[in-house]
């Protein structure tokens, strides 16, 4: 019995040392919006007040477009997801994109309500703020689920939906990004609020990209730094 007890104590001590070493090596405190926006929110980025938050957004292209395109990103992404689309469309279409609450530079909801219905209410408040009465919703992943509920809430506002690898229907994924798996585990999710291995960010991005060649060092750096925006990691764990 004593031998087993010694083995247990030894393994527990080793596990504790490994955990402390992991935290020390991957320690990554929150960063302020002011610190991050110098690099990730140059013009044409602006911040507008919606639902008690300073929402990071970009609004480009002709203002007389009667049905602008509104682009929404997926989980743990940002409005930068749509850089290529915007470059190709803004000459002829008004293109609006934002960092959804809980992500990018917008940061967490004040009330910590991350239900898809709450996101839909936010979207209508955002569009009201811009005076957009009708639009095309273009969404990827989690943003697709938000757009579906947004359209169902006020169908007259949505001209059409363009859904790209959208969530919102029952599915069993072939694999789950490492960051998402960590966020689901109670103990690890708490540790993840103060640590962030860059390798985990890279693996999570590669997991969702069909063409790994498009995963550039700049893309990895951007996702890594925006994940550190104060409150974002806690918001991911809560959502």
């Amino acid at each position: 019995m004593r031998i087993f007890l010694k083995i247990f104590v030894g393994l527990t001590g080793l596990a504790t040392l490994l955990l402390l070493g992991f935290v020390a090596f991957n320690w990554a405190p929150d960063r302020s919006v002011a610190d991050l926006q110098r690099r990730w929110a140059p013009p044409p980025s602006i911040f507008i007040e919606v639902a008690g938050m300073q929402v990071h957004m970009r609004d480009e292209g002709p203002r007389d477009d009667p049905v602008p395109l509104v682009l929404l990103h997926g989980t743990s992404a940002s409005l930068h997801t749509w850089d290529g689309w915007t470059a190709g469309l803004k000459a002829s279409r008004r293109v609006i994109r934002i960092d959804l609450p809980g992500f990018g530079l917008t940061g967490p909801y004040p009330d910590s309500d991350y239900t898809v219905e709450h996101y839909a209410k936010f979207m209508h408040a955002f569009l009201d703020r811009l005076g957009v009465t009708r639009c095309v919703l273009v969404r990827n992943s989690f943003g697709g689920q938000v757009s579906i509920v947004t359209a169902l809430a006020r169908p007259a506002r949505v001209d059409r939906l363009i859904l790209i690898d959208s969530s919102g229907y029952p599915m069993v994924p072939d694999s789950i990004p490492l960051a998402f798996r960590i966020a689901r585990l109670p103990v690890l999710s708490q540790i993840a609020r103060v640590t962030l291995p860059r390798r985990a960010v890279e693996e999570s991005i590669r997991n969702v990209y069909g063409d790994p060649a498009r995963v550039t060092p700049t893309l990895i750096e951007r996702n890594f730094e925006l994940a550190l925006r104060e409150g974002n990691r806690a918001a991911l764990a809560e959502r």
Side-chain angles (χ1 to χ4, degrees), residues 36-182:
L36 293 168
Q37 72 180 50
R38 286 191 290 269
R39 183 174 185 186
W40 303 117
S45 281
I46 61 172
F47 289 81
I48 65 171
E49 195 280 329
V50 181
M53 295 173 286
Q54 290 297 311
V55 176
H56 177 217
M57 65 163 292
R58 292 183 179 180
D59 188 349
E60 301 168 80
R63 291 299 189 273
D64 59 354
D65 186 346
V67 187
L69 305 174
V70 179
L71 315 181
L72 285 193
H73 61 79
T75 296
S76 296
S78 67
L79 58 76
H80 299 281
T81 295
W82 304 104
D83 285 349
W85 280 55
T86 303
L89 292 167
K90 66 181 180 180
S92 59
R93 298 298 302 270
R94 183 182 179 187
V95 182
I96 301 167
R97 46 191 172 135
I98 67 173
D99 287 346
L100 284 167
F103 307 110
L105 293 176
T106 295
Y109 276 118
D111 59 5
S112 298
D113 183 351
Y114 294 97
T115 61
V116 68
E117 292 78 14
H118 197 48
Y119 273 101
K121 290 179 181 178
F122 162 80
M123 282 306 305
H124 285 299
F126 171 74
L127 294 172
D128 288 343
R129 175 74 169 76
L130 294 185
V132 174
T133 58
R134 194 161 179 79
C135 65
V136 175
L137 295 179
V138 184
R139 312 301 176 93
N140 166 245
S141 189
F142 171 66
Q145 186 178 12
V146 172
S147 70
I148 293 169
V149 179
T150 299
L152 289 173
R154 290 173 64 176
R157 168 168 259 167
V158 181
D159 183 74
R160 69 190 66 187
L161 297 174
I162 301 175
L163 305 177
I164 305 166
D165 191 26
S166 173
S167 62
Y169 60 92
M171 64 171 292
V172 179
D174 292 332
S175 61
I176 300 174
L178 179 60
F180 298 178
R181 297 201 301 270
I182 291 173

Side-chain angles (χ1 to χ4, degrees), residues 9-20:
V9 172
L11 290 176
T12 301
L14 178 61
T16 301
L17 287 174
L18 290 174
L19 181 60
L20 291 174

Side-chain angles (χ1 to χ4, degrees), residues 31 39-40 76-78 80 196-207 209 212-228:
R31 294 178 60 177
R39 183 174 185 186
W40 303 117
S76 296
S78 67
H80 299 281
L196 187 62
R198 192 179 298 266
R199 181 64 179 174
V201 173
E202 180 177 353
E203 289 181 1
S204 295
I205 296 172
R206 292 188 182 280
N207 182 271
Y209 263 68
R214 294 182 178 272
V215 180
T216 65
T218 299
L219 173 62
I220 296 168
E221 182 71 9
R222 184 178 71 220
N223 281 42
F224 176 80
E225 291 201 353
L226 292 180
L228 297 178

